[in-house]
Amino acid sequence: GQNIDQPTEMTATEGAIVQINCTYQTSGFNGLFWYQQHAGEAPTFLSYNVLDGLEEKGRFSSFLSRSKGYSYLLLKELQMKDSASYLCAAMDSNYQLIWGAGTKLIIKP
Amino acid sequence: GAVVSQHPSRVICKSGTSVKIECRSLDFQATTMFWYRQFPKKSLMLMATSNEGSKATYEQGVEKDKFLINHASLTLSTLTVTSAHPEDSSFYICSANSGGRDTGELFFGEGSRLTVL
């Protein structure tokens, strides 16, 4: 079956770095997405990886290893506003997104 | 970037009534839109894929007669929750893909919080 695993909750300190991991198993693969979702709001797109390697976009970076079925989202210089849920989603061979349950990130001063 | 607008953002209705939620792509044409439902502290659950000019494709376990989807134009899809009951209370979110399907980036509407009394 198809499955996405990511930690339920993580805590980090303002100004620090945090890495949110995601492993996936899908029927075929057409890319890995990370979305940020603040409580009560719709998700917003953060990143898309389809090739192995690291994609950097400002304070956020996303990494993909297709052979390992693994991705991580790296957040640097954490700010209080980064407190949110981070959703990992893999696109299968039918271009359907398979969603993880999300990782709730708590930032402490 | 592409913008998807969803309306209403909040709606409260009585049990047994029907509620319509609109999803519009404001600056691009969306042949396909997606409707999700999200329970508190849970991830998105795809309900159906809305296809312009044809019938929606529903996910397993989603009642098509309960959740009516219409995609009459390239910029508008509607979800109607018919004969709503308290268990239908949830956060409903639509999304659309602005590019070809292999780009995959989805743009989400603001979401609609439905409360059925």
Side-chain angles (χ1 to χ4, degrees):
Chain A
Q2 307 200 99
N3 190 52
I4 305 287
D5 283 318
Q6 55 181 129
T8 304
E9 186 174 297
M10 299 182 70
T11 302
T13 305
E14 189 177 15
I17 299 172
V18 71
Q19 177 174 313
I20 303 174
N21 297 322
C22 170
T23 58
Y24 63 89
Q25 292 177 305
T26 55
S27 301
F29 180 73
N30 279 301
L32 193 290
F33 298 79
W34 284 96
Y35 284 83
Q36 180 191 61
Q37 185 178 26
H38 286 98
E41 299 180 10
T44 55
F45 172 80
L46 289 178
S47 68
Y48 169 65
N49 295 65
V50 68
L51 299 176
D52 285 353
L54 185 69
E55 296 273 348
E56 296 186 73
K57 191 184 294 184
R59 294 189 299 115
F60 292 7
S61 301
S62 57
F63 171 84
L64 176 68
S65 169
R66 294 179 64 142
S67 62
K68 295 181 179 178
Y70 167 70
S71 172
Y72 67 72
L73 180 70
L74 189 71
L75 293 77
K76 303 176 183 177
E77 301 171 15
L78 286 170
Q79 302 175 9
M80 297 303 293
K81 66 179 183 179
D82 297 330
S83 293
S85 285
Y86 291 85
L87 306 175
C88 171
M91 181 171 278
D92 67 12
S93 58
N94 293 319
Y95 297 93
Q96 296 280 348
L97 279 178
I98 312 301
W99 292 89
T103 299
K104 182 179 180 181
L105 177 63
I106 300 169
I107 309 295
K108 294 184 175 180
Chain B
V3 178
V4 174
S5 177
Q6 195 172 333
H7 177 81
S9 58
R10 293 179 182 273
V11 57
I12 300 172
C13 69
K14 293 182 179 180
S15 185
T17 61
S18 295
V19 174
K20 180 185 284 187
I21 302 170
E22 294 186 347
C23 180
R24 295 180 183 273
S25 56
L26 298 183
D27 55 359
F28 65 99
Q29 294 182 329
T31 55
T32 304
M33 290 184 174
F34 304 92
W35 287 97
Y36 296 87
R37 182 174 180 177
Q38 188 174 35
F39 294 98
K41 300 182 180 181
K42 299 290 185 182
S43 188
L44 301 173
M45 182 192 78
L46 180 65
M47 298 174 65
T49 301
S50 173
N51 305 298
E52 187 270 335
S54 64
K55 292 182 179 180
T57 304
Y58 290 82
E59 296 300 302
Q60 191 173 8
V62 178
E63 299 176 59
K64 58 181 66 176
D65 294 330
K66 173 77 172 176
F67 299 99
L68 300 178
I69 292 173
N70 183 282
H71 195 153
S73 77
L74 287 171
T75 59
L76 174 65
S77 175
T78 60
L79 168 68
T80 302
V81 182
T82 63
S83 187
H85 290 283
E87 57 265 30
D88 298 325
S89 298
S90 193
F91 193 47
Y92 293 88
I93 312 172
C94 72
S95 71
N97 185 337
S98 67
R101 66 177 188 173
D102 57 347
T103 64
E105 180 178 345
L106 291 176
F107 294 92
F108 286 86
E110 303 92 334
S112 300
R113 186 163 300 283
L114 171 62
T115 303
V116 184
L117 303 176

